[in-house]
Amino acid sequence: MTRILGIDPGSRKTGYGLIDIQRGGAVYVASGVVRIPDTPLPERLKLIFDAISQIAQQYEPEQMAIENVFMSKSAGSALKLGQARGAAIVAGTHAGLPVSEYEARKVKQAVVGSGAADKLQVQHMVKTLLRLPAAPQEDAADALAVALCHMHTMQTLVQTAGSAHSRFRRGRLTIS
């Protein structure tokens, strides 16, 4: 079993979601939103770091996946989002977790089947894929989607490596 912590970073709200991979499928563990008070940015970054550190300590994930920065409405917003991501990444690496990063379009593609999916579609598919009784909060659903994307990426890499290993063993692998 592998436990993955997914993060949807934000300087005001940071979503988190944890899933376990069991027999190739995903099982819901926990999710939520860390709400950051309107304080100076350095204090908000510390709160993000502390919250992700506490979540990592409580749930003991083996891996962390986080959404990459997208261009937002303003350069200032993008910089704050990047700093929030940095605080979350440092919390993950401080907890000894390998951290993988995914573009929002890739996350949506992996979970919904379309990189242009909207928030409601992501929430619905997360609810369906994890067999939840209700759709999670928007930021928590996004974090769970990041974790699911990471799971799919890992499974694809394992299948690809297994296929290449199998061809290599049969003498069919050509390296140029």
Side-chain angles (χ1 to χ4, degrees):
M1 178 184 77
T2 300
R3 180 164 290 173
I4 301 169
L5 168 60
I7 301 291
D8 178 37
S11 63
R12 301 280 182 194
K13 294 186 293 183
T14 292
Y16 69 92
L18 292 115
I19 61 171
D20 284 344
I21 301 173
Q22 296 178 350
R23 295 184 198 93
V27 176
Y28 175 84
V29 175
S31 64
V33 177
V34 177
R35 297 188 189 284
I36 312 300
D38 191 17
T39 59
L41 184 61
E43 291 175 30
R44 286 187 267 157
L45 298 176
K46 181 184 181 320
L47 291 170
I48 292 167
F49 174 86
D50 290 344
I52 300 304
S53 295
Q54 181 181 359
I55 291 163
Q57 183 179 22
Q58 179 180 354
Y59 291 101
E60 300 179 345
E62 286 87 24
Q63 300 179 25
M64 182 172 133
I66 190 166
E67 191 172 282
N68 235 338
V69 173
F70 65 95
M71 281 313 291
S72 62
K73 297 174 188 169
S74 71
S77 295
L79 286 170
K80 287 177 184 173
L81 177 59
Q83 291 173 324
R85 279 185 77 253
I89 289 169
V90 171
T93 58
H94 189 259
L97 303 175
V99 178
S100 299
E101 302 174 51
Y102 296 96
E103 300 292 332
R105 290 186 65 80
K106 180 173 170 89
V107 172
K108 292 174 183 179
Q109 178 70 41
V111 175
V112 179
S114 168
D118 64 28
K119 296 275 191 185
L120 287 174
Q121 290 171 306
V122 172
Q123 283 178 292
H124 174 74
M125 284 307 297
V126 165
K127 174 185 177 252
T128 301
L129 292 170
L130 295 174
R131 296 173 292 286
L132 300 174
Q137 299 174 53
E138 188 176 285
D139 296 295
D142 288 348
L144 288 165
V146 172
L148 289 165
C149 176
H150 183 62
M151 178 191 79
H152 291 304
T153 301
M154 285 184 359
Q155 289 172 337
T156 300
L157 290 173
V158 167
Q159 289 170 352
T160 302
S163 175
H165 179 70
S166 176
R167 287 192 311 270
F168 178 74
R169 289 180 47 133
R170 291 191 304 259
R172 294 188 203 166
L173 187 62
T174 308
I175 300 174
S176 52

